[in-house]
Amino acid sequence: MPSTVELASSFIEGAPPGELADVVADVQALTSDGEDIIPSLLPAFKRYNETQLATVKLPGSSQEVIVSQFNELEDNRYFDPESQTSFEVNHTTQTASAAQSYPLESENADLIKSLLKSFGAHAREHYPNCSYGIYPIENDSAVAIVLVSNRYSPNNFWNGRFRAIYQLPVSSSSSTLTGNIHVDVHYYEDGNVALNTTKPINISIPSVSAESIVSRIATAERDYQEALNRAFVQTSEGVFKGLRRQLPITRQKVEWEKVGGYRLGQDISGGKGR
């Protein structure tokens, strides 16, 4: 049987977009340890932040940067190539501190800088509240291209997150971009409905240049979003429509001006019809 920490960790790692604090509060309320359980959950917080591409504000700045496995250093420190800064992350509170200069050292520095400019323009144009990063990986033989965009509307009982994670070998003039696009939405007004989708990406890149890479990414993301829109329409017109009764059990529309003549109207009016 799973331990309390294992169960609580699964709740943390499964927290919907923008609702981690609510899940933490529930975990504390449901366990006898209360706040004392939090230190035992630090590995779960770290996995959640890196998997969900949590963003933190750099100290003294409004800029939000990504926390991921691709830009991890040591001792809970991460780096951001665009600002050339490293920083320490408190995974429980999702805050950054102890920022330091961290110059980008990579044989592919020119490509990374070009991608930051081109991919950044693409991200800002199409995704509100987004953060992105380009990181050297696999001993500098490849780059990771990472994007996250959050949209929270708790007053309307929904939150959503778009994540895109791509990896591209850069050892030759042509290559193949692989990765996944994730869309997670949680709607919880008088219910609990979640959308969790993952789209694998495998794209041939004829020229390892920033313009070519971003162009192919933009096409793949547009195609997937259009496919999602079509699926939403089909679901609304098909599955959801099938769940709703189009007519009352009499198979006739209710004539509201004559409602007093119906049995329900008679019951409401004390048994007297018109």
Side-chain angles (χ1 to χ4, degrees), residues 2 4 46-47 66 101 133 145 171 174 179 192 202 211 214 218 272:
T4 299
K46 183 175 184 291
R47 288 192 296 269
I66 289 176
S101 175
I145 303 171
S171 56
S174 61
N192 188 27
N202 192 302
E211 293 75 12
V214 173
K272 296 180 180 181

Side-chain angles (χ1 to χ4, degrees), residues 83-101:
S83 63
Q84 299 197 36
T85 303
S86 72
F87 50 94
E88 184 176 348
V89 172
N90 183 320
H91 286 287
T92 304
T93 61
Q94 293 183 326
T95 56
S97 62
Q100 299 176 0
S101 175

Side-chain angles (χ1 to χ4, degrees), residues 168-189:
L168 178 72
V170 293
S171 56
S172 60
S173 58
S174 61
S175 189
T176 299
L177 182 85
T178 59
N180 291 287
I181 299 173
H182 307 273
V183 177
D184 304 301
V185 180
H186 184 215
Y187 180 77
Y188 49 97
E189 182 178 16

Side-chain angles (χ1 to χ4, degrees), residues 50-119:
E50 292 184 349
T51 301
Q52 294 296 320
L53 306 180
T55 59
V56 295
K57 286 186 178 181
L58 292 177
S61 171
S62 60
Q63 179 183 2
E64 292 197 350
V65 295
I66 289 176
V67 175
S68 77
Q69 61 175 316
F70 304 110
N71 60 329
E72 182 182 11
L73 298 173
E74 296 179 346
D75 300 324
N76 290 326
R77 293 192 67 85
Y78 298 80
F79 71 95
D80 175 55
E82 189 166 35
S83 63
Q84 299 197 36
T85 303
S86 72
F87 50 94
E88 184 176 348
V89 172
N90 183 320
H91 286 287
T92 304
T93 61
Q94 293 183 326
T95 56
S97 62
Q100 299 176 0
S101 175
Y102 191 85
L104 176 63
E105 296 181 359
S106 169
E107 293 182 0
N108 301 303
D110 290 341
L111 175 62
I112 291 174
K113 291 176 181 178
S114 296
L115 278 170
L116 283 169
K117 182 178 180 180
S118 298
F119 189 71

Side-chain angles (χ1 to χ4, degrees), residues 126-163:
H126 296 286
Y127 302 98
N129 305 316
C130 71
S131 296
Y132 56 89
I134 315 293
Y135 311 110
I137 59 172
E138 298 179 3
N139 296 319
D140 216 13
S141 65
V143 295
I145 303 171
V146 179
L147 167 69
V148 61
S149 177
N150 298 305
R151 188 76 179 270
Y152 304 146
S153 186
N155 290 336
N156 294 310
F157 304 99
W158 64 263
N159 297 301
R161 175 173 294 142
F162 176 96
R163 289 173 291 149

